[in-house]
Amino acid sequence: MLGVVLSLITYLICLCEGFLLEPSTNNASNIPLGNKQYVTFSEFYEAKNEQKYDVTFLRHQMDRMKADSDKTLTLLTSQIQQKLASIEHSFTTNGKMNDTNELQQLQRIVSELEDKNTKLQHNFDNLQGKYTAIENELLLSQKTTAKLVVDVQALEQLKPVQDLKRIKQELQSIKSQTNSLAFNQQARNQDFLALYNETINNQKNVNYLGKRQELYQNQTQVAFKAMENNYNTCMVVVYDKIDQIERSTNMTDARVDKATEKVAMTSCVSHDKVLSVAETIKFDDVKTNVGIDNLSSFQSTGKFNCTKDGLYIVSIWVLAQAASRDSHVYIYKNSNIVSKTFIYDNTYDTGPATVAVELDVNDNVWVQFDDGK
């Protein structure tokens, strides 16, 4: 097709070297005589090629800008949503929703960016529609050119001059359409430039929002770290208090157990005995026994061995007759006299003795007589 057009244009150049641009009858008187009233085939062909190239370049530029804009906005929106989801999840896990106003403001900014993205998409769709209209105009121009080729072929057959005038008028119309397309293309370029600038501004806003989010996350981490340190410190204090309470409770329980322990015994001498000096009295006839672990040892030795420490009441009474002098009956604790009673000389006498004594485990208590019977 292009070869045919070139051959036709060459033929027309040989015939007339151009087209006469005849203005309409109404405006003919307003055109200065010195202006150029025709356009050559080479100029027309060159303008046509430039128009086709510009339209193709515009199409590629629109596709590339649309892809870049969609990809950039989608990526930025996804990153912002992921960061907001991460912050919200962190607050939910720790049970703390501090700085709620700050988070709501960030969410509102993201919503505004999404609205702007929707508007940009709508503007882009409008531009796409305008671009489609330009393509339709270009298609109409191509159809007109094809018709012009048919007219040039008719010129080869030496049709009347009226056909040549009609072709010139159609070329004038094509020129006007070409100028209109060029103006529309310039307007579309301005729209795309405005769209590109607005996309850059949105990207700057998103970058600023990202920095704000990063700063907010750092502040949140510092706050959580301080809270964690305070929590650990408080827990150390609480654990110490719990240990103290447990120790105090254990000691109290031990004291309560000790206070509630029952240790008691009542025992008598089974028969009258003649005792030698410093002999231990054996109270081998046990009447009552509570909490005594070594009863047989007491019965055989006369010495009470303490197995449970505490405060004891030791009480005795003895009916005896001194042999030749006044005698004493002693209560011993570990070889130390803690109490005594007196038996009068050469008569039967009863001597009582009672003492409160603190005993530890393995302490021994016994009763010892000077002499007599």
Side-chain angles (χ1 to χ4, degrees):
M1 182 66 182
L2 181 60
V4 174
V5 172
L6 289 175
S7 61
L8 291 176
I9 291 174
T10 304
Y11 177 76
L12 288 174
I13 290 174
C14 294
L15 291 177
C16 57
E17 296 184 352
F19 294 105
L20 178 62
L21 303 179
E22 293 181 354
S24 62
T25 307
N26 296 330
N27 298 330
S29 61
N30 296 329
I31 299 176
L33 296 177
N35 292 342
K36 187 177 180 180
Q37 299 298 315
Y38 66 93
V39 61
T40 63
F41 284 111
S42 60
E43 291 175 348
F44 171 76
Y45 181 71
E46 182 179 358
K48 195 67 177 179
N49 289 335
E50 289 179 356
Q51 179 186 6
K52 184 177 181 180
Y53 173 78
D54 291 340
V55 171
T56 303
F57 176 76
L58 179 61
R59 182 188 295 110
H60 290 302
Q61 187 176 10
M62 286 178 61
D63 293 340
R64 184 173 63 254
M65 289 182 65
K66 179 181 179 182
D68 293 342
S69 177
D70 291 343
K71 183 177 180 182
T72 301
L73 291 176
T74 301
L75 179 60
L76 291 175
T77 302
S78 176
Q79 291 177 352
I80 292 172
Q81 290 176 350
Q82 290 176 0
K83 290 182 179 180
L84 289 176
S86 177
I87 293 174
E88 185 175 359
H89 176 71
S90 177
F91 275 113
T92 302
T93 303
N94 290 276
K96 302 293 182 179
M97 294 299 294
N98 297 327
D99 298 333
T100 304
N101 294 332
E102 182 73 17
L103 182 59
Q104 291 178 351
Q105 183 178 4
L106 293 177
Q107 292 176 345
R108 185 168 57 254
I109 292 174
V110 171
S111 178
E112 292 176 356
L113 289 177
E114 290 179 349
D115 293 338
K116 289 184 178 180
N117 183 26
T118 302
K119 292 180 180 178
L120 289 176
Q121 184 65 36
H122 180 70
N123 293 336
F124 183 82
D125 293 338
N126 292 335
L127 291 176
Q128 186 69 30
K130 293 179 180 179
Y131 176 75
T132 303
I134 293 175
E135 284 187 335
N136 293 332
E137 292 178 0
L138 180 60
L139 181 61
L140 180 61
S141 177
Q142 291 176 349
K143 291 180 179 180
T144 305
T145 303
K147 185 177 181 181
L148 179 61
V149 171
V150 175
D151 293 337
V152 171
Q153 291 176 352
L155 287 176
E156 292 179 350
Q157 299 176 1
L158 298 178
K159 286 188 176 182
V161 179
Q162 288 79 7
D163 294 336
L164 182 58
K165 290 182 179 180
R166 183 172 54 82
I167 292 174
K168 290 179 181 181
Q169 292 176 356
E170 291 177 356
L171 287 175
Q172 178 65 28
S173 176
I174 292 173
K175 180 65 175 180
S176 300
Q177 293 177 1
T178 302
N179 292 334
S180 176
L181 288 175
F183 177 77
N184 292 334
Q185 179 182 351
Q186 184 178 4
R188 298 295 83 73
N189 289 338
Q190 293 296 328
D191 292 339
F192 276 112
L193 180 60
L195 178 62
Y196 176 76
N197 292 332
E198 188 171 358
T199 302
I200 294 299
N201 291 332
N202 287 335
Q203 186 174 2
K204 291 180 180 179
N205 292 333
V206 171
N207 292 334
Y208 172 74
L209 180 60
K211 292 180 180 179
R212 289 286 301 277
Q213 284 182 331
E214 184 177 359
L215 178 61
Y216 178 75
Q217 286 179 346
N218 293 334
Q219 293 176 350
T220 303
Q221 291 176 356
V222 172
F224 280 142
K225 188 64 176 180
M227 291 173 59
E228 183 179 1
N229 293 334
N230 293 334
Y231 173 79
N232 293 334
T233 302
C234 293
M235 291 306 297
V236 170
V237 175
V238 170
Y239 288 146
D240 290 340
K241 293 292 184 181
I242 291 175
D243 292 339
Q244 293 177 3
I245 293 173
E246 288 181 350
R247 289 193 295 269
S248 177
T249 302
N250 292 333
M251 293 176 62
T252 302
D253 292 341
R255 288 195 295 269
V256 170
D257 292 340
K258 185 180 296 184
T260 56
E261 287 180 344
K262 295 180 179 181
V263 179
M265 180 177 60
T266 300
S267 186
C268 303
V269 176
S270 58
H271 56 273
D272 292 345
K273 296 179 182 180
V274 177
L275 303 176
S276 59
V277 176
E279 182 178 353
T280 299
I281 301 176
K282 299 177 182 179
F283 298 92
D284 53 353
D285 185 11
V286 178
K287 302 299 184 180
T288 59
N289 169 33
V290 178
I292 304 298
D293 298 331
N294 49 3
L295 185 61
S296 61
S297 175
F298 170 74
Q299 289 175 320
S300 61
T301 63
K303 294 184 177 182
F304 172 74
N305 180 257
C306 179
T307 59
K308 299 178 181 179
D309 58 348
L311 181 65
Y312 285 77
I313 299 296
V314 181
S315 177
I316 66 168
W317 62 268
V318 179
L319 174 64
Q321 180 184 14
S324 58
R325 58 182 176 84
D326 297 338
S327 300
H328 296 84
V329 177
Y330 301 99
I331 299 176
Y332 281 86
K333 172 189 173 183
N334 297 334
S335 302
N336 296 317
I337 297 173
V338 294
S339 184
K340 64 182 178 179
T341 186
F342 178 75
I343 303 298
Y344 187 68
D345 182 23
N346 200 22
T347 59
Y348 282 98
D349 195 8
T350 298
T354 302
V355 63
V357 59
E358 186 76 26
L359 297 181
D360 295 327
V361 176
N362 291 326
D363 284 344
N364 291 311
V365 177
W366 70 89
V367 179
Q368 185 172 308
F369 188 63
D370 279 351
D371 61 354
K373 66 178 179 180

